[in-house]
Amino acid sequence: MSLPPRLSQPAYPVLLGGTPEPGHGWVHWPRSSALLREPYDVLALKARLDHDRATREDHADPRLVGRVARSTDAQAQAALSLARTAQPVWARVPLERRLDLVRAFHHLLRDRAEEFVEVLVSEGHPVRVAQWALSAALSLTHPDTVDHARDAMLWEGKQAGRLVRLVRKPDGVVCLSPARNAPVLTAMAAVPTLAAGNALILNAPPAVPLSTAYVFHELVAPLLAEYGAPPGTLSVLCAPARPTLRTWLASPDCDDIFFFGGPSQGAQLTRACLEYGKKPIMELAGNDALVVWRDADLHQAADAAMERYQGSGQLCFAPKFTLVHPAVAEQFTELVRSRALRLRVGPPEDPDIVLTPVVKRSQCQDVLDDAVAKGAELLCGGELVDVTDTPTRRGPFIRPVLLRVRGLPEAATMRAVTEETFFPLMCVIVPDGAPGAAGTEEAIDRELLDALIAFVNANPYGLRNSLWAQDLDVIHRFTDEVTNGGVLKVNDSHIGTLPVLPIIGGTGFSGGVFGEANIPFLRTTRLQGVSIGTGEPGHFDHLAAAGIRQASGPPSTAVRPHERSGAAAHERHAP
């Protein structure tokens, strides 16, 4: 698979307020498959290009797929000033017009889907992972998602002779720092953020900038101009995250910091945001649970568990551990093990590949050793291999790891279960029944379900959790009582996305103290209530306005809430 000629070695400058500007040097991106086959030669080529020591032949090397300009601190400062000026002008564009921009982006992305996937593959995402990222981006911008946002952002009705409006107003200037492991997908939160009426500054991570630059230079920026956004509404930088975050914190022209990263860094940044008067929107880490009940469709549940290995487990909301009913544990575990053994490594262009090079290889071995020392059984995997699946101590890949742990108390002591593990390691946990339970199978299962729900809710992380079961009582208890997580999935792909359903957001270490399911339209706006009097008498009769008849005097002319027609009580208005 190769990039279309039009995208051959594109050069993306700094986008400053919608205007291309030269930066301070370039970040060059080699084709990932070439880097895997010839790591030393390709890294040397990249170093010569990035440090301006390259020959003419280096610049023409077919292993290169593009370059992105490095932005300067002065450009970061200028982007903030331009955004502050542009934002109120952009916010005055009618909401429906701004929402149309998201609809147009959705259709444009569908039209250029093959091109989008190929850019991600050249950046190192396997084809299947890139296609999943495409589906998530399309869900985020789907017309049904936009319709839900419109209803959530504006409500109008009449109360006691007044027009009452509940409206969400944009926060102002939002600065977004995407995740390095999934830069373009996390950067996609910028599209609904812009449609909500905010100006946006996006910092493409220099470690992996190409796909983010592609989407916002080629797709988003032209649409903004077409839909009437003033210059300054969007800037795209490419600079190290830490100094850029410091610039945003210190600037009076930054209102929100939308950050993807680790829990400890997110906690520090949250404190700094509050100190500097910024709104923190934190998307941090995941340690998701997948629960398999005795009546689950085990083959589909095993497929969901295998999503752990997408991108070698380097996705925040992949399932990290599975809690399996003892009655089906052996069969389920064997299904997962047999599938894991069939996974192989290879270049990202191969459509059967889901594994990628692992960044935290040494940490994987540490976590694996810790689990085995505490009683976990290693069922397969853990070897370092190269792109040809040949074992080598310097191999960038790890063969998929599957562990089995017997007992919830034992599992709670293992790093493989209690920490976010960013590598291809799945832990299957088999409870020892319900301690103290006696009597019927139904009574034992009831206590076991209590224990599993308590285990899920005790997880300090809270991104996604999922369940496989047929018993409606079990399903209702899971969806009613599991409070941990921004998204719950039942009998469905754990990492799959849907229109309207939030893609990101969570509780605890996953989203910080303000964490919840993240709909960017809502997270980057604030609710305002508006009451508009019509000039009718009685507007200062507060009891009457509340629908309360006073003990003396003339009866109130206010219509009691329960007496209004359903149509009036639920009136909606689309601007």
Side-chain angles (χ1 to χ4, degrees), residues 95-96 150-151 153-157 163 165 570-575:
L95 173 61
E96 196 63 38
R150 180 188 59 221
D151 290 344
M153 292 181 74
L154 179 63
W155 180 93
E156 282 190 357
L163 175 66
R165 180 180 296 153
H570 299 91
E571 180 180 352
R572 295 290 190 276
H573 172 69

Side-chain angles (χ1 to χ4, degrees), residues 476-550:
H476 290 321
R477 283 203 57 196
F478 183 85
T479 55
D480 289 346
E481 298 178 26
V482 172
T483 57
N484 186 328
V487 171
L488 302 180
K489 304 290 287 292
V490 178
N491 296 329
D492 197 4
S493 160
H494 189 97
I495 67 172
T497 61
L498 293 168
V500 181
L501 188 75
I503 294 175
I504 54 177
T507 55
F509 291 164
S510 295
V513 293
F514 304 109
E516 61 178 355
N518 188 335
I519 297 175
F521 287 108
L522 307 183
R523 291 301 302 276
T524 59
T525 57
R526 59 192 182 277
L527 184 64
Q528 186 179 74
V530 179
S531 171
I532 302 174
T534 60
E536 298 177 11
H539 281 181
F540 296 94
D541 187 345
H542 305 299
L543 290 177
I548 299 174
R549 187 184 301 274
Q550 299 184 62

Side-chain angles (χ1 to χ4, degrees), residues 367 370-377 403-407 409-419 427 429:
V367 170
D370 172 78
V372 172
K374 293 175 179 175
E377 179 185 0
L403 293 169
R404 176 164 50 198
V405 179
R406 299 190 184 276
E410 291 76 10
T413 69
M414 299 177 184
R415 294 176 60 193
V417 178
T418 60
E419 298 179 6
C427 201
I429 303 168

Side-chain angles (χ1 to χ4, degrees), residues 287-293 296 298 300-309 318-326 328-329 332-333 336 402-408 411 416-417 421 425-431 452 455-456 465-468 494:
N287 189 24
D288 294 10
L290 188 152
V291 180
V292 180
W293 198 242
L298 295 184
Q300 291 194 20
D303 288 341
M306 290 299 296
E307 292 175 334
R308 168 57 169 142
Y309 302 116
K320 305 298 194 300
F321 61 90
T322 305
L323 301 165
V324 189
H325 194 290
V328 295
F332 172 82
T333 304
V336 176
L402 182 63
L403 293 169
R404 176 164 50 198
V405 179
R406 299 190 184 276
L408 297 178
V417 178
T421 49
L425 185 152
M426 168 58 84
C427 201
V428 175
I429 303 168
V430 185
L452 294 181
F455 194 90
V456 172
N465 293 299
S466 62
L467 167 72
W468 287 85
H494 189 97

